[in-house]
Amino acid sequence: MINAVLVFNGQGQPRLTKFYTQLETSIQQRLLSEIFALVSNRPSGACNFLPLPPLLAASGTSQSSSEPHNDVPSLVTYRNYATLYFIVISTSTESPLALLDLIQVYVEALDKLFENVCELDLIFNFETLHAALSEMIVGGVVIETNLDRIVAGVKAQGTVAKRPVNESRSTGLGAGLSMGGNFVWPGR
Amino acid sequence: MCVIPVFEKSLYDLIRGLRSHKGNEKEYIQNCLKECRAEIRSQDMDLKATALLKLIYLEMFGHDMSWASFNVLEVMASAKYHQKRVGYLGAIQSFRPDTEVLMLATNLLKKDLTATSTTTIALPIVTLPHVITPSLALSVLPDILPRLSHTNPTIRKKTIVTLYRLALVYPETLRAAWPKIKERLMDRSEDSSVTAAIVNVICELGWRRPHDFLSLAPRLFELLVDSGNNWLAIKLIKLFATLTPLEPRLVRKLLPPLTEIIQTTPAMSLLYECINGIIQGGILGSGEDTAGKEEIASLCVNKLRSMIMVDGDPNLKYVALLAFNKIVDTHPWLVAQQEDVILECIDSADISIRIKALDLVQGMVSSDNLISIVSRLMRQLKLSATIDHKNGANASSSSPGDSDDDDLETTINPTQKATEQLPPLPDDYRADVINRILSMCSQSNYTHITDFEWYIDILTQLVRIAPTPKKTNDVETLPIAGRSGPGDISEKIGNELRNVAVKVQAVRGACLQAAGIISTQLNNDTPTGHPLNSGALGPVTWVIGEYASELDAPEDTLGLLLQLIPRITSAEPLAASLQAAMKVFSLTAGDHLTRWSAEQKSKILLLMARIVHTFEVLTLHPTLEVQERAVEFTELLKLTVEAASAQEASTELVHQDTPLLLTQAIPSLFVGWELKSVAASAQKNVPLPEGLDLDEPINPNLNFLLASAQSQSIPADEVDEFDTYYHQRPAATSIASEPAIARLADERVDAVGSYQQPTEESYLDADIVARRKLERLEKNRDDPFYIQATSSIQRSSTPIHNILQSSNGPDLDVDSIPIMELDLDKLSAGVTHAPTKLSKPSRPKPRQRIVVAADENLGSSGQSTPKNDSENDLGPLASKAARARRLKQSVLGVDSTNIQSLSLEGGTASGAYDPEAQQREEAEMAQAMKEVERLRLEMQRANERIQVAQGVDAAAKTKKKPPTAAAEDEGAEGAEGAKVVKKKKKKEKVASIDEGAGGVEQSTVKPKKKKAKPPAEIE
C-alpha cells in the first residue's frame, strides 16, 4: 500500500503532506526533511527512486533483509516537476513503475483542474490538492487512475478556485509535464 | 449582522503574509496562530472554518494543532458542505491515535455516512481510514456496509477500500463485508473502476491470506485477459504471483497470457511486472516441463538484463536490480550469469542503484569473484575518502577551490570519472559498504577467501578509510535510530583481524604485522595531545598481546603500546592494551636464555620503570576493568623491580640467575591453552550444573550490605580522580615522521592499469602495495618460471625490450598478445605445470591450502551452528510477536498481523441468541457509559478552564451555537443509535472485549444530550 504522499518545493517547503497512517507531527517533519535532503542531493540523470531515509531505514533494516516484510514502507519514489517534488512512500507490494505513472496522473489531473498548473496554484488551493488526491488514493489504496474521472470527481465537490489575480506567476508546471517525455510509459 | 473582527484573515491573506514576511516568518506564524486560536472559538461558522483551514495549512509546516481537535469536530458538524469538508480535512491531518474527541465523532460519522448527497457521504468514507480504531470500526460498520451497493460507483469504490482499512484493525469486518465485495467482483456489469479498486484491495489482502482468494482465480484470470487496463493487469499479476505457490496448476494457465503480454505490450511497467510476477510466483523453478520453462526463464532474465544495459533510463536499471534481488535467494545461478552488468551498477553515480546492486552482490559472491567485487568496493571507498580528505584540507587551509580538485582528478576510466563527480559519499553509506565487505569475506567461515594475506591487507586499508565516529552525532541519533553508528565500524574491522588471527594459524604472523602497522598508523596519524578513539584498537592490541611470541621486535612493539596507552580514552581498548603490554613485557623479560648481565639488568629495570610510570596513572581510572588491571600490574611490577635490583648482575666469573619473578611468575600468568573460536550458540549447550538455583540470593544479607554501602560517605577519592584526569599527560611521545611514500600516495592519480579488474594500486595505499610486492618477490624467488624484475639477466635483455617498446609505444598491452595453445596432453607429466603459468588470463588461481578453524561448539552435534542464534531459536509465535513489535516501532508501518488470524469460512452462521452474553454486554455497557461520562466531564472541565482564562464572555458566546445544532441532531441520532444497538445484539456474537468497546461508542449519544445543559446554566 501507499504510506504517504508528499509534495514540496525546491527549498523543502511542504505543499502537501498526506500520511495514510497516523504519525506524530514532529516525526512527519523529520521524515520530510530527511527525504528532502535525499532528493536535493540527487545527481542529474539519477533514477526516480530514493534510498530509504534514515528514519525509515532504521525500522527497515533491523529485520533481516532476507525476509522483507510487506507491511513496512520500503520504496520511496519521487518525481520532479519544475519547482516541485512529488514523493510517494510505499511498501514493496506496489509496482515501482506504476507509482511513477501515478504521480504523473496526479500532476496531469492538477494541470487539468487549474489549467496550466504552477506552484502558486497549489499553495493557494491546497484544499483542492487534497481533494484531487482523495479521488485517486483512499486509505493508501489506489482507487482511480482515469484522468477524466478524477477531474470530474473533484469538480463535483464544487468549483475549483482560481489563483488570486494579482499574484505573480512563476514558472508553470506545464513545462515540467512535457519535460517528462521519456518517463511516460506508453500505453498506460 | 454580527461585527466582523478587524483582524480576520483569509487563507489567502495568511499565505500572502507568509510570503511577504521572509526572514521573520516565525514571529508572523506565532501571531497568526494566536489569531487562529481566537477565531476558532468564534460562533461564526465561516470564521471558524477559515481559522481551521489556516491551522491545517500551518500544521503542514509542523505547527501542532492537536489542541484544536474539539473545534475540528465542530466544523465537521457544520451543515454547509464546504465547511464540513474543511472539518474532515482537519480530522485527517491532525487526529492521532490518542485524540480523545474521536469518541464524540462517532455519531457524526454515522450520520454523514447515511446522508443523501454523494459528496457528503464520501467525506466520512475517505476520512475513516485515517482515524480508524477497533471500537470505531465496530460502530460504523453497520452504516458503511450498505454503501457498498450505493448507486454511485465513486462511493462504491471508496467504500471498498475503507472496509479494507477497517478490517486491518477490526478483522471481523471481513466476515460481514467479504461476501458483498465478492459479489461486486463477480458482477460483470460492475463499473470498471470499482472492479479495479476491488482488485487493488484483494491484492493487498492477497499476500496476507492467499488461501481465501484461490477460489476467485477464474474470475481474476478473466479480468487479466480481457480488461485491457494496464493498472489492473499489474495488480492482477502481482496477486497471481502470491497465488501460484499455493496452486501450481495456475502456472500452466498463466504462462501463455503472460508470455503474450511480455512479447506485445508497449507499456514498460506492465512488461516489468510480468517478468517480476513470473519470477516471484516461482514459475521459473518448479520441476517438470523444463523445456518451456527454460525458454521463459531465459526470456525473462534477458529482458531484465537489457533493462540494466539500456542507457538513459536509470529507472529501469533500478527496477531490474529490484527484480534480481527477489530471485537471488531462490535462483542464484540465474543472477550469477548477469554478474558483469550488475557489477557495473556498483560504480553507478546513483546511490539508490548502488545500494540495490550491493544487496545483490552480497548474495552472489563466490571465491571466483570475491576479489574483483571487493576491490571495486574498496576503490570506491578509497576515492571518496581521498575526496573527503582533500575537501577537508582545502576548506581548512584556503578557500575551497574546485578547479584544484578537478586538476588532480584527471582520469582515463569513464566509470571512475562518474564516481568522482559525486558529492562525497555519506558516512552511513560508507559504513554500510564496509559492513558488506566484511560480511562477504567472512561468509560461511571464510570459504570464499583464497588469499588471506590479501584479506589482511584489505582490513589494514579499511581501518584507514573507515569513517571516523562523530561523537556528538552518535549521542543524538543512536537512541532514536537504534542502529550501529559509524563508530562501530572500525571496531568490526579490528574484530575481523582478530578472528583471522585466531582462526587461520597460517597467517597469524601476517595478522600480527598488520596489527603492528595499524597501531603505529593510529599513533602517528592522530596529532599529539588528541585522544585515540578508534574502535579497532581493542582487538588489534589484543592480537599483539596474545600472539606476542610471533612478534619480530617485541621491544619496539612494547614501546609502541606504552606510547598508545596514555592516549586511549575509551575503557575497553585501554584494558586490552594494558593486558597486551604486560604480555609483551613478560615475553621480552622472561627469556631464559639471555644472560642476566649488567646490561640486561639495567635494560629490564628501565623497561619496568617505564611501564610502571605509564600504568600508575591508570590505577585510579573510573572504569573498574582498567583500574583493576593497572593496579595489579603496577604492584606486581614494583615487586619485580625490587627483586631485580636486589639480584646482582652476573659477571664474567660469577653466574647469576635472572630473578624467578621474571622468568617464572609473570610468564605463568599468560601461559595456558591456546584460545579457539567458539560458536555463538555454544553457551546454550553447557549443561546446567546440578543444584544450581539462580533465584537464590548469593548473599542473603544483600539488602543490608547495599544499605550500609550507601550510608557510607565517599572519601576524598573524587579529588584524586579529578586530579589524575587532568594531569594525565602522555609520556613524551616522539612524533615519528610519516614515511614519505605514504604522503605521496594521496597525491598520486589513481591510474587504472587494467579495465578488467582494478589493480591493487587503485584501492590499497602505496605502502601496503609495496609490502605486497616485496612479499610476492620473496615467494617467487625460487620459482624458475618467474622473471625477477630486478635481476641482472633482465637488464641484459633490454635491447629487445627497447625495440619492442619503441615500435609499439609505451602502452603495449602484453596480455593482448595472442598466446599459442599448447596441447598439454602430449607433454610428459613432469613439465605440465610449467606452461600453465604462461597463459595467464585463463589460468585458475592456485588455491592456497589454508586451514580455517571452525567455531567450536559443545554438545552432541559437534558442528558449528553459526545461524543458531536469537530469533531463529524462538518459536514461530515468538517471532511473530517480535515482528509485530518491530512493526509498531517502524515509522509508517501498518500492523496487519491480526487480520491473518481471522478465518472467513463458517463464520457467518453465528447469530444464535445468548441471554448470558446479553447480560454481560449490558453490564459492560453500563460500565462503558460511566467511563464516557467521566471522560466527557474531564474534557468539559478542561474546556471551561481554558475559557475562563480567555474571559467568560467569549465562552458564553461560543457555547451558544452548538447546543442548537446538537439538539437538532439529537432526535434522529438517539433513535438511530438505539436501533443499532438492538440490531447488534441480535446479530453479533463477538469477543466480549470488542462489544464493550462498542458500547462506549454507542453510548456517546447520551453525552450529547447532556452537553446542552452547561451553556444554558451559564446563560
Side-chain angles (χ1 to χ4, degrees), chain A residues 1-4 13-25 27-32 41-43 45-51 54-67 69-75 89 91-102 105 120 122-128 130-131 134-135 137-145 149 153-154 156-159 161-164 166-168 182-183 185-188, chain B residues 11-12 15-16 19 22 25 53 56-57 59-65 81-82 85-86 89 92-93 95-98 102 119 123 125-126 129-132 153-154 157-158 161-162 164-165 168 191-194 196-197 200-201 203-204 207-208 229-231 234-235 238 266-269 272-273 307 312-316 318-319 322 326 329 349-353 355-356 422-423 428 480-483 883 886-887 889-897 900:
Chain A
M1 65 173 273
I2 292 167
N3 301 86
Q13 289 170 312
R15 294 295 172 235
L16 168 92
T17 57
K18 183 78 102 187
F19 294 89
Y20 290 100
T21 40
Q22 295 175 338
L23 206 60
E24 278 306 312
T25 311
I27 298 176
Q28 289 182 359
Q29 292 297 316
R30 227 178 95 199
L31 192 62
L32 211 67
N41 271 329
R42 302 290 287 170
C47 68
N48 291 39
F49 304 97
L50 294 177
L55 204 59
L56 296 181
S59 52
T61 51
S62 65
Q63 53 208 5
S64 54
S65 51
S66 59
E67 180 232 346
H69 197 265
N70 289 343
D71 269 335
V72 174
S74 61
L75 191 67
I89 304 174
T91 61
S92 59
T93 49
E94 293 293 328
S95 163
L97 295 180
L99 285 180
L100 282 177
D101 291 344
L102 191 74
V105 171
L120 224 52
L122 307 191
I123 298 173
F124 285 106
N125 297 295
F126 84 114
E127 225 188 326
T128 313
H130 281 284
S134 71
E135 286 300 309
I137 304 171
V138 170
V141 179
V142 179
I143 53 160
E144 187 57 82
T145 50
R149 281 173 181 247
V154 178
Q157 294 178 26
T159 49
K162 291 276 164 269
R163 79 186 74 87
N166 53 347
E167 286 292 339
S168 62
N182 60 340
F183 289 125
W185 317 108
R188 188 178 50 237
Chain B
L11 179 66
Y12 282 4
I15 296 168
R16 230 183 250 129
R19 290 163 69 82
K22 290 247 161 66
E25 280 138 324
L53 194 60
I56 298 170
Y57 186 80
E59 200 267 350
M60 187 161 70
F61 292 86
H63 300 280
D64 180 56
M65 60 171 281
Y81 173 75
H82 68 269
R85 190 169 80 160
V86 174
L89 183 58
I92 291 177
Q93 297 296 95
F95 279 12
R96 305 282 179 259
D98 55 351
L102 197 55
T119 45
L123 288 177
I125 293 181
V126 170
H130 294 265
V131 299
I132 198 70
T154 317
K157 70 189 179 197
K158 287 179 179 173
V161 176
T162 303
Y164 156 70
R165 288 303 295 263
L168 280 185
D191 186 278
S192 66
S193 357
V194 181
N200 280 348
V201 166
C203 193
E204 287 296 325
W207 60 263
R208 295 185 172 99
N229 178 344
N230 286 344
W231 298 92
I234 288 173
K235 284 287 174 184
K238 277 192 168 287
M268 194 57 94
S269 48
Y272 168 72
E273 288 304 334
M307 278 184 174
D313 199 340
N315 290 333
L316 292 183
Y318 181 86
V319 291
L322 267 187
K326 280 174 188 155
D329 289 333
D350 188 340
I351 209 160
S352 327
I353 291 181
I355 289 174
K356 284 295 159 211
L422 264 185
D428 42 352
I480 307 162
R483 66 212 172 102
R883 202 173 62 194
R886 265 194 313 252
L887 266 172
Q889 288 166 359
S890 83
V891 175
L892 282 177
V894 178
D895 184 8
S896 69
T897 36
Q900 285 159 328

Side-chain angles (χ1 to χ4, degrees), chain B residues 273-556:
Chain B
E273 288 304 334
C274 274
I275 297 170
N276 203 10
I278 288 176
I279 292 165
Q280 263 192 294
I283 300 178
L284 288 182
S286 47
E288 77 286 2
D289 183 24
T290 41
K293 271 177 191 154
E294 247 159 53
E295 194 183 318
I296 194 120
S298 65
L299 178 69
C300 291
V301 174
N302 283 336
K303 285 268 181 189
L304 284 181
R305 185 190 167 86
S306 54
M307 278 184 174
I308 296 185
M309 302 260 282
V310 167
D311 275 339
D313 199 340
N315 290 333
L316 292 183
K317 229 177 226 180
Y318 181 86
V319 291
L321 288 173
L322 267 187
F324 275 136
N325 257 319
K326 280 174 188 155
I327 46 176
V328 75
D329 289 333
T330 49
H331 304 74
W333 66 94
L334 284 178
V335 182
Q337 286 166 9
Q338 314 305 324
E339 191 188 314
D340 48 339
V341 280
I342 292 166
L343 283 185
E344 229 22 79
C345 293
I346 287 186
D347 285 333
S348 165
D350 188 340
I351 209 160
S352 327
I353 291 181
R354 266 198 208 187
I355 289 174
K356 284 295 159 211
L358 265 183
D359 285 341
L360 254 184
V361 157
Q362 211 166 4
M364 53 186 244
V365 72
S366 73
S367 53
D368 294 330
N369 57 18
L370 178 76
I371 291 188
S372 76
I373 291 174
V374 170
S375 44
R376 260 171 196 272
L377 295 176
M378 289 295 292
R379 200 183 59 204
Q380 256 182 38
L381 284 174
K382 197 177 166 219
L383 276 174
S384 78
T386 47
I387 290 174
D388 244 18
H389 186 73
K390 278 176 205 155
N391 287 347
N394 280 345
S396 60
S397 61
S398 60
S399 64
D402 293 346
S403 59
D404 201 31
D405 272 6
D406 292 346
D407 287 344
L408 283 172
E409 283 152 17
T410 38
T411 47
I412 320 130
N413 190 336
T415 54
Q416 201 177 328
K417 194 166 180 183
T419 329
E420 279 168 353
Q421 285 165 345
L422 264 185
L425 298 173
D427 271 359
D428 42 352
Y429 172 75
R430 278 200 276 168
D432 188 37
V433 172
I434 294 177
N435 256 331
R436 283 170 203 266
I437 291 178
L438 295 183
S439 71
M440 268 190 273
C441 291
S442 58
Q443 236 172 48
S444 43
N445 207 20
Y446 301 98
T447 38
H448 297 322
I449 292 194
T450 51
D451 181 354
F452 273 97
E453 267 123 29
W454 166 82
Y455 185 43
I456 292 167
D457 289 335
I458 291 284
L459 290 177
T460 320
Q461 180 71 50
L462 278 179
V463 173
R464 293 184 195 182
I465 53 186
T468 42
K470 286 182 206 124
K471 280 265 158 164
T472 45
N473 259 357
D474 274 6
V475 174
E476 271 173 35
T477 54
L478 269 182
I480 307 162
R483 66 212 172 102
S484 56
D488 293 342
I489 275 299
S490 45
E491 191 179 347
K492 270 191 187 155
I493 303 167
N495 284 339
E496 269 303 298
L497 190 69
R498 189 191 56 199
N499 285 354
V500 173
V502 171
K503 287 188 163 196
V504 194
Q505 208 164 4
V507 293
R508 207 164 273 168
C511 282
L512 213 53
Q513 210 180 347
I517 292 174
I518 291 173
S519 35
T520 319
Q521 167 102 21
L522 285 172
N523 190 29
N524 293 342
D525 282 3
T526 325
T528 25
H530 283 259
L532 285 170
N533 51 12
S534 168
L537 267 175
V540 161
T541 49
W542 184 87
V543 168
I544 293 178
E546 187 62 23
Y547 303 113
S549 56
E550 294 189 38
L551 280 174
D552 295 332
E555 280 165 46
D556 294 350

Side-chain angles (χ1 to χ4, degrees), chain B residues 533-638:
Chain B
N533 51 12
S534 168
L537 267 175
V540 161
T541 49
W542 184 87
V543 168
I544 293 178
E546 187 62 23
Y547 303 113
S549 56
E550 294 189 38
L551 280 174
D552 295 332
E555 280 165 46
D556 294 350
T557 316
L558 183 56
L560 174 67
L561 282 174
L562 291 178
Q563 275 182 33
L564 282 174
I565 287 171
R567 304 179 62 193
I568 302 175
T569 42
S570 36
E572 216 176 310
L574 192 54
S577 6
L578 283 180
Q579 197 86 4
M582 206 53 195
K583 284 175 185 168
V584 180
F585 170 73
S586 88
L587 195 90
T588 41
D591 195 353
H592 293 280
L593 302 173
T594 328
R595 239 165 59 90
W596 184 245
S597 58
E599 193 192 343
Q600 173 78 359
K601 181 181 168 183
S602 59
K603 195 184 93 184
I604 298 286
L605 280 176
L606 205 67
L607 205 53
M608 284 197 283
R610 249 189 99 186
I611 299 178
V612 170
H613 175 78
T614 316
F615 282 17
E616 233 168 6
V617 281
L618 297 172
T619 50
L620 291 170
H621 196 276
T623 313
L624 205 61
E625 191 77 358
V626 178
Q627 195 191 71
E628 193 184 346
R629 290 179 200 211
V631 169
E632 274 173 9
F633 292 146
T634 15
E635 291 310 314
L636 185 60
L637 282 173
K638 279 178 181 166

Side-chain angles (χ1 to χ4, degrees), chain B residues 772-829:
Chain B
R772 280 184 72 76
K773 262 192 193 139
L774 261 177
E775 276 165 12
R776 227 173 296 151
L777 263 180
E778 192 73 12
K779 217 188 300 173
N780 294 327
R781 177 174 289 159
D782 299 328
D783 192 340
F785 302 104
Y786 189 86
I787 301 170
Q788 310 245 328
T790 48
S791 70
S792 55
I793 308 159
Q794 216 243 335
R795 217 166 275 159
S796 68
S797 72
T798 35
I800 296 177
H801 182 248
N802 281 347
I803 295 165
L804 273 177
Q805 195 167 38
S806 56
S807 60
N808 289 330
D811 45 8
L812 158 77
D813 188 2
V814 184
D815 285 348
S816 67
I817 301 173
I819 297 170
M820 199 193 292
E821 274 300 325
L822 284 175
D823 196 349
L824 299 177
D825 294 339
K826 284 179 187 166
L827 292 170
S828 64

Side-chain angles (χ1 to χ4, degrees), chain B residues 612-842:
Chain B
V612 170
H613 175 78
T614 316
F615 282 17
E616 233 168 6
V617 281
L618 297 172
T619 50
L620 291 170
H621 196 276
T623 313
L624 205 61
E625 191 77 358
V626 178
Q627 195 191 71
E628 193 184 346
R629 290 179 200 211
V631 169
E632 274 173 9
F633 292 146
T634 15
E635 291 310 314
L636 185 60
L637 282 173
K638 279 178 181 166
L639 268 181
T640 320
V641 167
E642 266 175 40
S645 44
Q647 184 85 330
E648 290 289 327
S650 49
T651 57
E652 301 265 325
L653 305 166
V654 193
H655 175 79
Q656 295 280 3
D657 280 333
T658 316
L660 276 179
L661 264 173
L662 278 175
T663 54
Q664 301 286 323
I666 295 181
S668 72
L669 287 178
F670 304 113
V671 183
W673 297 101
E674 194 192 340
L675 285 174
K676 298 267 175 71
S677 61
V678 177
S681 58
Q683 178 75 47
K684 286 199 199 101
N685 298 339
V686 177
L688 207 68
E690 263 177 71
L692 174 72
D693 182 8
L694 288 175
D695 295 330
E696 187 190 0
I698 298 170
N699 188 337
N701 259 344
L702 185 68
N703 279 337
F704 171 74
L705 282 177
L706 283 177
S708 64
Q710 238 164 16
S711 61
Q712 271 170 6
S713 64
I714 300 161
D717 253 359
E718 251 173 313
V719 183
D720 286 348
E721 198 177 288
F722 182 81
D723 199 50
T724 46
Y725 186 75
Y726 282 98
H727 289 82
Q728 190 182 325
R729 280 272 172 279
T733 38
S734 64
I735 315 163
S737 59
E738 202 185 0
I741 194 156
R743 245 177 292 141
L744 274 179
D746 282 352
E747 253 77 335
R748 202 167 38 80
V749 172
D750 296 281
V752 177
S754 156
Y755 283 88
Q756 265 74 50
Q757 212 179 72
T759 54
E760 283 165 359
E761 282 87 351
S762 66
Y763 60 90
L764 292 177
D765 274 349
D767 55 335
I768 301 181
V769 173
R771 199 161 42 74
R772 280 184 72 76
K773 262 192 193 139
L774 261 177
E775 276 165 12
R776 227 173 296 151
L777 263 180
E778 192 73 12
K779 217 188 300 173
N780 294 327
R781 177 174 289 159
D782 299 328
D783 192 340
F785 302 104
Y786 189 86
I787 301 170
Q788 310 245 328
T790 48
S791 70
S792 55
I793 308 159
Q794 216 243 335
R795 217 166 275 159
S796 68
S797 72
T798 35
I800 296 177
H801 182 248
N802 281 347
I803 295 165
L804 273 177
Q805 195 167 38
S806 56
S807 60
N808 289 330
D811 45 8
L812 158 77
D813 188 2
V814 184
D815 285 348
S816 67
I817 301 173
I819 297 170
M820 199 193 292
E821 274 300 325
L822 284 175
D823 196 349
L824 299 177
D825 294 339
K826 284 179 187 166
L827 292 170
S828 64
V831 221
T832 36
H833 69 286
T836 46
K837 290 252 166 190
L838 284 172
S839 55
K840 204 179 166 194
S842 61

